[in-house]
């Protein structure tokens, strides 16, 4: 369990009872048929101690959806639950109408779900090209086609293709991690805090790349601590608090909602 998933209260967060009543303001129309739907998910790392307490999320075809909230809200746990890395005890997760709840990660990859974890997301002793090959181990015959697609998004990886991933900068390693996840041509890409640990300049590049991947036709769920930047680029956003949905709206509306700013975003949410 990472620090971000440890259940603890934010100084500005409400009590559990308050969170149940937080769906304040106008909510945007969620897609009637989401490509991926997490419905009332209860999940956690220890039996009987849930981190998620009934989370619901809908990802429409071609959408970029952001998940923000205080530390310990369950943001990373939600994407790990979708990817089969955390046990789901209640609720369902569906992909294009098919129940994929708690399927193993390798099965989800074959069904079109890609995942980029926050840490340890490259094979440091392998070259960039070998990392890409690992991303396509299920369909190696498509390597050249998919690698060309990745290089179109991340041209610098072509210059580094024979360099070991462990010797790359943090921003370049993040490119490798995203590129490897894209090798299997996912329908849905899960990004767990992709800007974590990067300089402000490199963080901004990560968000630009995520937007480019989305514009290339990949639906994305992005967990982020950099709430302001995430909400600036996402179509819709979800604010989680203590394992529950607190607010959901378009990214722009959440970014400018005084109550969301006061309770969750602070100065990060203020836009000039």
């Amino acid at each position: 369990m990472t620090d971000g998933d440890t259940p603890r209260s934010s100084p500005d967060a409400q009590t559990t009872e308050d969170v149940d009543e937080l769906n304040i303001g106008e909510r945007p129309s969620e897609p009637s048929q989401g490509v991926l739907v997490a419905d009332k998910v209860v999940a956690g790392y220890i039996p009987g101690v849930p981190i998620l307490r009934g989370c619901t999320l809908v990802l429409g075809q071609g959408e970029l959806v952001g998940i923000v909230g205080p530390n310990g809200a369950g943001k990373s746990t939600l994407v790990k639950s979708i990817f089969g890395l955390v046990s789901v005890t209640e609720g369902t997760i569906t992909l294009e109408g098919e129940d994929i709840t708690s399927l193993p990660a390798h099965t989800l990859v074959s069904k079109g779900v890609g995942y980029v974890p926050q840490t340890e997301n490259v094979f440091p002793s392998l070259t960039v090209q070998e990392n890409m090959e690992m991303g396509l181990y299920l369909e190696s015959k498509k390597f050249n086609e998919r690698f060309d697609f990745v290089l179109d998004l991340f041209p610098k990886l072509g210059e580094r293709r024979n360099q070991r991933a462990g010797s790359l900068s943090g921003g370049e390693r993040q490119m490798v991690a995203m590129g490897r996840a894209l090798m299997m041509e996912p329908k849905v890409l899960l990004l767990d805090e992709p800007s974590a640990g990067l300089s402000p300049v490199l963080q901004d590049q990560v968000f630009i790349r995520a937007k480019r991947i989305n514009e290339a036709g990949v639906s994305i769920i992005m967990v982020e601590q950099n709430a302001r930047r995430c909400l600036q680029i996402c179509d819709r956003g979800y604010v989680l608090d203590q394992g529950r949905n607190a607010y959901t709206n378009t990214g722009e509306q959440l970014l400018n909602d005084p109550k969301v700013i006061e309770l969750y975003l602070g100065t990060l949410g203020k836009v000039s």
Side-chain angles (χ1 to χ4, degrees), residues 32-220:
S32 57
Q33 293 184 327
V35 62
L36 188 144
V37 178
D39 185 34
K40 299 177 182 176
V41 172
V42 176
Y45 303 87
I46 302 172
V49 185
I51 303 297
L52 302 179
R53 306 180 184 190
C55 275
T56 293
L57 177 146
V58 179
L59 175 68
Q61 181 65 46
E63 276 194 314
L64 196 168
V65 167
I67 305 174
V68 299
N71 287 338
K75 304 182 298 295
S76 292
T77 302
L78 179 54
V79 293
K80 289 175 182 176
S81 298
I82 292 171
F83 201 60
L85 301 176
V86 175
S87 176
V88 175
T89 55
E90 294 181 31
T92 59
I93 299 167
T94 58
L95 178 69
E96 296 184 324
E98 178 186 357
D99 190 345
I100 60 168
T101 311
S102 297
L103 288 181
H106 68 273
T107 301
L108 292 171
V109 170
S110 68
K111 289 181 178 294
V113 181
Y115 171 61
V116 180
Q118 178 182 348
T119 60
E120 298 180 352
N121 52 18
V122 300
F123 296 100
S125 64
L126 301 183
T127 66
V128 168
Q129 179 165 327
E130 289 168 341
N131 268 271
M132 297 303 117
E133 291 170 353
M134 292 297 291
L136 200 63
Y137 68 96
L138 293 173
E139 296 185 40
S140 57
K141 292 181 180 179
K142 292 184 178 181
F143 177 79
N144 289 334
E145 174 191 344
R146 294 306 300 165
F147 195 31
D148 286 344
F149 173 81
V150 170
L151 292 181
D152 185 55
L153 289 169
F154 309 128
K156 185 168 285 189
L157 293 186
E159 303 170 13
R160 302 283 194 267
R161 65 188 304 160
N162 295 317
Q163 189 170 334
R164 289 191 178 185
S167 67
L168 301 176
S169 68
E172 290 170 338
R173 286 197 300 272
Q174 194 60 262
M175 280 191 272
V176 173
M178 289 184 177
R180 190 180 70 244
L182 291 170
M183 290 296 287
M184 276 294 290
E185 198 170 356
K187 304 168 187 174
V188 173
L189 182 62
L190 310 174
L191 300 177
D192 189 0
E193 301 199 22
S195 73
L198 301 179
S199 69
V201 172
L202 292 178
Q203 285 184 21
D204 202 53
Q205 291 178 8
V206 165
F207 291 113
I208 292 170
R209 291 176 193 130
K211 191 66 176 175
R212 288 189 63 198
I213 293 169
N214 180 241
E215 290 170 348
V218 182
S219 304
I220 294 177

Side-chain angles (χ1 to χ4, degrees), residues 64 207-208 210-211 222 228-235:
L64 196 168
F207 291 113
I208 292 170
K211 191 66 176 175
M222 175 189 289
R228 175 183 178 181
R229 196 67 180 93
C230 179
L231 294 176
Q232 284 177 335
I233 69 167
C234 73
D235 297 301

